[in-house]
Amino acid sequence: MNRPAALEPQNRWLLCATAGLGLCLASTEYERYTALWVFGTRTPEELAFIMLALAAALALGVAVAAGSKARLSSKWWLLAVLALVQTAGLVVRAQQAFGEGASSELATASSVCLQAAGLLFVLYAEFFLEVGVRKAIRSFALALAVAGALQIACAMAPSGLALGAAFFFMPGACALLALGDRLRGTPETSSEQEDITAEREQSEGFSQAFPFWECCASIALINVLLLSLHDQAMALQDSGQASRAIQVSAGIASVASGALFFSLLNHLQEMEFVELFRTLVLPLVVVALYVSALYLVPLGICYSVLLLFVWTVPRYYRPERMPFAYTCIAFFAYKLGWALGICGIMLAPAAFGSDVRTVIILLAFFALLLLAALHIVRLWRLRAHDVQRVRQQADMQASAEALFADACARVAARYGLTPRESEVLVLLARGRNARHIAESLVISDGTARTHIMHIYQKMEINSQQSLMDRVEEAARTE
């Protein structure tokens, strides 16, 4: 009996990693599980601690990866530490959900611990850097669908059961990553190198048209705008039916995003795929902001697209030695937009008035529009440069052809060659043999060889290379 292709030995590691990534995404977006708990108001100090801890962890990871030949995602002890840290933070959050108070220091510590899921997402991105971009995006799309299905299931299940299941997401994601790394052998890794080499060649144009700093700025600014919608959703939560509706909407958006990504990837090239969603995010945000009754699904799709950028775009900037660093920077930009959005849209209005929220949203929109305008101008300049380069190459080729033809004509005149012998001379100077000359001039092989012999006699040479040297010398002395 034939086994499904996904269960073949060469595909088991990919199946494990994809399933684990789905659990990781579910853990990363724990705040969407509004049916399980109501969050308290964050403080600037808490956000500062989170971003400092995240920056330190990512910088340490980049430093360790730079000095190690092995991937960080292959270190089982690191995965175990991340699972324990995330679980510890989730325990405190669960206690708060059931009404047990916690000190502000403990609440801040739990928020910091819950960022371990984001670090695991970065390790998954590192793991998939060693496969082709198409396979990596396909796995990401399937993982999104898994995460969305888990969100919907948790919303439908009793709170106690859903909360208990949430405790297994992070350990399961870590275990599946370790298992996928163990199942993945050298032959499978080597088979991906051709795809990665082609990906590097295709990425040159993308990185020129879309600089990495602009990519990170766009991710951060869009996340600031998404926080305004996220804030509206949080205001509606009640740990009851409204919260369940929000959570189900988020799950549906994740499943729909995964299906959309997977479907479009089958019809578009990788670069076309990334460009499509890069230009689609801002319109979705605009629609979501102004069609408030339907904003939940566009909000979820926008979050999925942003994570797709963090997952995919750094691949097109990777240097030979440290592609992992670009992924860490892109993820930090994602979280920085999250922190700035909370400060500017959720916290600042309480201190400076509600107008601050509108000002920040408008500034973020204008900044994104400015980046889009810069991108259009850059594309125009690159295309104008390409057109100019093509014209220059055509002019140089035409000039070289004219110089070559003139040199052949002067050599033919110098040695008194007939018109037919002059035609044969041009082909000989290009390195053609007798058979090719005969076919080009529609003459017999014997006639072509006779013309060649006469040319050699008149020029007092005995080889084709000598003839080519004479023509080259004539071209230089013009």
Side-chain angles (χ1 to χ4, degrees):
M1 182 177 178
N2 294 330
R3 291 179 296 185
L7 298 180
E8 292 296 327
Q10 65 270 24
N11 293 323
R12 288 175 182 170
W13 69 269
L14 185 61
L15 184 64
C16 288
T18 301
L21 179 60
L23 293 176
C24 175
L25 290 175
S27 300
T28 304
E29 299 300 324
Y30 70 95
E31 289 190 353
R32 297 194 195 181
Y33 290 73
T34 56
L36 300 180
W37 42 58
V38 176
F39 291 98
T41 302
R42 295 191 182 276
T43 63
E45 294 78 13
E46 178 183 349
L47 294 174
F49 275 117
I50 289 175
M51 296 309 298
L52 287 174
L54 192 60
L58 292 173
L60 180 61
V62 170
V64 172
S68 175
K69 294 182 179 180
R71 297 186 310 272
L72 291 179
S73 56
S74 65
K75 300 182 184 300
W76 64 268
W77 59 267
L78 177 59
L79 299 177
V81 169
L82 291 178
L84 289 173
V85 170
Q86 173 81 5
T87 302
L90 199 58
V91 167
V92 177
R93 189 66 73 185
Q95 290 176 344
Q96 291 177 309
F98 284 106
E100 298 183 17
S103 64
S104 59
E105 293 80 7
L106 186 59
T108 299
S110 69
S111 296
V112 173
C113 290
L114 287 170
Q115 304 307 313
L119 298 177
L120 181 62
F121 175 80
V122 173
L123 294 185
Y124 265 100
E126 181 201 29
F127 179 83
F128 275 93
L129 280 171
E130 296 186 7
V131 304
V133 61
R134 181 169 288 269
K135 184 177 291 185
I137 295 177
R138 186 177 290 115
S139 293
F140 180 82
L142 293 174
L144 269 178
V146 170
L150 288 174
Q151 285 182 302
I152 296 172
C154 287
M156 298 301 181
S159 298
L161 180 60
L163 185 58
F167 277 94
F168 290 96
F169 291 170
M170 185 70 173
C174 292
L176 286 171
L177 179 56
L179 179 60
D181 183 78
R182 184 172 182 178
L183 292 175
R184 183 180 183 176
T186 302
E188 289 76 32
T189 303
S190 300
S191 65
E192 299 293 337
Q193 294 307 310
E194 292 184 3
D195 292 339
I196 294 175
T197 300
E199 177 185 329
R200 286 197 180 103
E201 294 175 354
Q202 296 171 1
S203 66
E204 295 180 1
F206 184 89
S207 59
Q208 288 180 354
F210 196 39
F212 188 64
W213 70 267
E214 188 176 317
C215 165
C216 293
S218 298
I219 290 174
L221 289 170
I222 290 174
N223 216 2
V224 170
L225 292 175
L226 293 182
L227 256 295
S228 66
L229 303 179
H230 187 83
D231 185 34
Q232 295 179 35
M234 293 301 100
L236 297 174
Q237 66 174 337
D238 59 357
S239 294
Q241 294 302 317
S243 294
R244 294 182 187 279
I246 293 171
Q247 185 174 326
V248 169
S249 297
I252 292 173
S254 293
V255 174
S257 298
L260 181 63
F261 296 168
F262 193 88
S263 176
L264 288 178
L265 190 61
N266 293 329
H267 301 284
L268 298 174
Q269 296 296 322
E270 292 83 353
M271 291 295 184
E272 296 172 339
F273 179 86
V274 174
E275 279 291 309
L276 172 65
F277 285 103
R278 188 184 65 79
T279 55
L280 186 63
V281 175
L282 187 56
L284 277 175
V285 173
V286 174
V287 170
L289 284 172
Y290 288 97
V291 189
S292 59
L294 303 174
Y295 78 89
L296 286 173
V297 173
L299 172 63
I301 294 176
C302 286
Y303 270 122
S304 299
V305 172
L306 275 185
L307 284 176
L308 173 69
F309 285 158
V310 176
W311 180 257
T312 306
V313 171
R315 304 171 70 96
Y316 297 114
Y317 302 92
R318 56 174 155 188
E320 290 295 328
R321 292 184 298 173
M322 281 300 294
F324 178 62
Y326 281 73
T327 302
C328 291
I329 295 171
F331 180 75
F332 185 77
Y334 174 82
K335 295 301 292 185
L336 181 62
W338 167 80
L340 292 176
I342 291 178
C343 285
I345 294 174
M346 297 184 180
L347 302 182
F352 303 103
S354 59
D355 292 340
V356 173
R357 174 191 175 99
T358 303
V359 170
I360 290 175
I361 291 176
L362 290 176
L363 287 176
F365 263 121
F366 283 128
L368 279 173
L369 290 175
L370 178 60
L371 289 177
L374 289 175
H375 179 69
I376 292 173
V377 171
R378 189 180 299 109
L379 280 179
W380 178 80
R381 289 181 176 178
L382 287 173
R383 288 172 181 171
H385 177 72
D386 290 341
V387 171
Q388 183 179 6
R389 185 177 57 184
V390 170
R391 288 178 178 175
Q392 289 177 347
Q393 291 176 347
D395 291 341
M396 290 176 61
Q397 185 175 1
S399 177
E401 287 291 331
L403 182 63
F404 174 79
D406 182 68
C408 289
R410 285 190 288 114
V411 169
R414 182 189 307 170
Y415 295 102
L417 302 185
T418 66
R420 177 60 81 179
E421 289 171 349
S422 298
E423 294 177 353
V424 174
L425 171 70
V426 172
L427 295 173
L428 284 173
R430 293 186 183 279
R432 309 305 186 191
N433 58 23
R435 175 170 296 182
H436 181 90
I437 293 172
E439 293 176 353
S440 299
L441 300 180
V442 194
I443 57 179
S444 66
D445 285 354
T447 302
R449 295 182 188 279
T450 300
H451 286 312
I452 294 172
M453 181 182 66
H454 290 163
I455 292 171
Y456 285 179
Q457 289 174 350
K458 291 180 179 181
M459 295 180 65
E460 298 180 353
I461 57 176
N462 55 14
S463 68
Q464 186 176 11
Q465 184 59 50
S466 298
L467 182 145
M468 295 170 67
D469 292 340
R470 296 277 181 91
V471 173
E472 183 178 353
E473 182 181 357
R476 289 199 304 267
T477 58
E478 182 183 13

